Amino acid sequence: MNITILGPGAIGSLYAYRLNQAGHSVSLWGRHPASPVEFSLDECPVLSFANRDRHCLQHCDLLIVTLKAWQVEAALSPILEMLHQDTIILFLHNGMGTVERLQAQLHNRPVLLGTTTHGALRVTANEIRHTGQGQTLIGAWNPLGQQCQFVAEVLDHAIAPVKWHEDIRSALWTKLIINCAINPLTATLDCQNGQLVHSQYRSQLSAIVSEAAMCARTQTIELDDKALLQTVLTVAKATEENYSSMHQDIYNKRQSEIDFITGYVLDIAQKYQLAVPQNAALFQQIKQIEASWSQHD
Ligand code: NAP
Ligand code: PAF
């Protein structure tokens, strides 16, 4: 397939490299017009990729969006008109709400949503490390996307395991709630994920999860609060030595994905007049930290 990666950072470069190894024709669409882009993956040799090549973009069968959630709208809007109407667009980022913001421009195109638990790190501009073996779930956002189940097989061949999920919204909500619980707390407490397993955080985690699950129910997503809390604790334990992505963003004074994680829950809560005090407080704390940078720097 002709595949373009929009936002070739850590995760996007990992996917680009593996898809290239699997025999696909892969190009990148990064922020800077530097072509070609070269990088290695772990111990594997340096590969060269076309970057911001209009011809590649116009002929791509699959566009994989691996931007940070807050970058998606600004990056995708200007290139949509260059894409063929049949190009499949797969959104593969943390958080929710990006596709809704582009709904009018996307509804006539095959759109897929996905979530991955792989870990990737950009060590230098030319070195990518696959830091954690994970799995990827993808599924349809619209009826045209429903006809693209073969994409799961294509990706599975390159970066297994990739599974098709008939109810991808439910999987994304589960991931969203895990992120609502782990990300802002680890960022504000300045701690590794494993810290949250301690009993002193149990009632706060439980409240965060229950508030978010209540919002999910308004979207016809039925998730069990107790099972979700258990999942959060399992993920925190399994990644105990990791710093969450939001911790890393805040630590490095980079804009976080809070608007598309906790902020997504808050938007629904406001729409349905639901009380979500724990999530609202964490949202405010992260926003205050982000606002303080521009005041002091
Ligand atoms: P990242 O390294 O920051 O990658 C984003 C890339 O998009 C960067 O290379 C960035 O370029 C580029 N970009 C920004 N604006 C752009 C634009 N207008 N046009 C084209 N490219 C643009 O982030 P990441 O760690 O790969 O994460 C991507 C998403 O995957 C996030 O939602 C994250 O939460 C999720 N995720 C990440 C991991 C992981 O292990 N890394 C695991 C699971 C999920 P600049 O650097 O030049 O700004
Ligand atoms: O965003 C992250 O860091 C990850 O999605 C997770 C699951 C919280 C583990 O660190």
Side-chain angles (χ1 to χ4, degrees):
M1 287 178 86
N2 293 318
I3 301 174
T4 301
I5 306 288
L6 173 59
I11 277 289
S13 300
L14 168 67
Y15 269 70
Y17 199 100
R18 288 292 200 82
L19 285 161
N20 178 297
Q21 280 182 316
H24 299 287
S25 173
V26 182
S27 67
L28 314 178
W29 195 271
R31 210 152 55 93
H32 306 291
S35 198
V37 168
E38 298 187 334
F39 59 87
S40 61
L41 174 66
D42 298 328
E43 307 312 319
C44 297
V46 171
L47 291 180
S48 183
F49 295 84
N51 181 37
R52 289 182 79 99
D53 180 316
R54 280 174 170 256
H55 183 265
C56 291
L57 188 67
Q58 283 160 350
H59 290 89
C60 78
D61 308 303
L62 172 64
L63 181 81
I64 308 183
V65 180
T66 54
L67 297 146
K68 298 269 189 177
W70 57 266
Q71 298 166 335
V72 170
E73 197 175 354
L76 184 55
S77 290
I79 65 165
L80 268 176
E81 62 186 28
M82 281 190 262
L83 292 177
H84 191 277
Q85 195 64 29
D86 294 335
T87 298
I88 303 161
I89 306 177
L90 165 61
F91 290 82
L92 194 64
H93 56 72
N94 277 355
M96 290 176 76
T98 57
V99 188
E100 282 101 316
R101 291 185 187 205
L102 292 160
Q103 197 149 5
Q105 294 155 272
L106 290 174
H107 77 279
N108 279 333
R109 296 172 177 275
V111 175
L112 304 177
L113 306 178
T115 177
T116 186
T117 56
H118 280 285
L121 188 68
R122 195 177 194 167
V123 186
T124 67
N126 309 104
E127 280 176 282
I128 301 295
R129 197 155 296 153
H130 190 183
T131 51
Q133 173 62 39
Q135 61 158 357
T136 306
L137 298 173
I138 68 168
W141 175 71
N142 59 1
L144 287 170
Q146 192 62 37
Q147 295 166 22
C148 303
Q149 298 193 18
F150 69 94
V151 172
E153 268 175 65
V154 170
L155 298 181
D156 190 58
H157 187 59
I159 182 160
V162 180
K163 295 214 162 49
W164 181 261
H165 200 299
E166 278 304 335
D167 186 10
I168 193 67
R169 285 173 64 242
S170 195
L172 292 179
W173 263 102
T174 301
K175 178 70 192 281
L176 185 84
I177 294 175
I178 293 168
N179 287 139
C180 282
I182 295 180
N183 292 25
L185 258 185
T186 50
T188 52
L189 294 168
D190 189 12
C191 68
Q192 291 157 304
N193 293 351
Q195 177 83 12
L196 303 184
V197 175
H198 297 147
S199 56
Q200 71 200 88
Y201 302 111
R202 199 61 49 87
S203 64
Q204 191 175 7
L205 285 176
S206 174
I208 295 167
V209 164
S210 294
E211 289 174 10
M214 172 175 68
C215 292
R217 268 174 227 119
T218 67
Q219 308 299 298
T220 66
I221 304 288
E222 283 300 329
L223 298 169
D224 178 69
D225 297 21
K226 279 202 180 121
L228 273 174
L229 177 60
Q230 202 46 55
T231 305
V232 167
L233 295 172
T234 304
V235 172
K237 182 72 188 156
T239 59
E240 61 186 338
E241 291 187 359
N242 294 4
Y243 287 99
S244 74
S245 54
M246 195 172 291
H247 179 285
Q248 292 176 44
D249 285 338
I250 294 296
Y251 185 83
N252 291 300
K253 297 192 175 180
R254 294 186 303 239
Q255 182 174 346
S256 77
E257 297 184 290
I258 192 78
D259 286 335
F260 295 83
I261 296 177
T262 311
Y264 186 74
V265 168
L266 261 51
D267 286 347
I268 292 174
Q270 190 182 24
K271 188 170 169 197
Y272 291 87
Q273 300 193 333
L274 300 171
V276 289
Q278 289 292 338
N279 283 286
L282 283 167
F283 181 84
Q284 284 310 326
Q285 284 179 49
I286 296 292
K287 283 291 183 188
Q288 271 163 16
I289 296 171
E290 290 181 348
S292 72
W293 302 331
S294 44
Q295 285 161 18
H296 301 304
D297 296 347

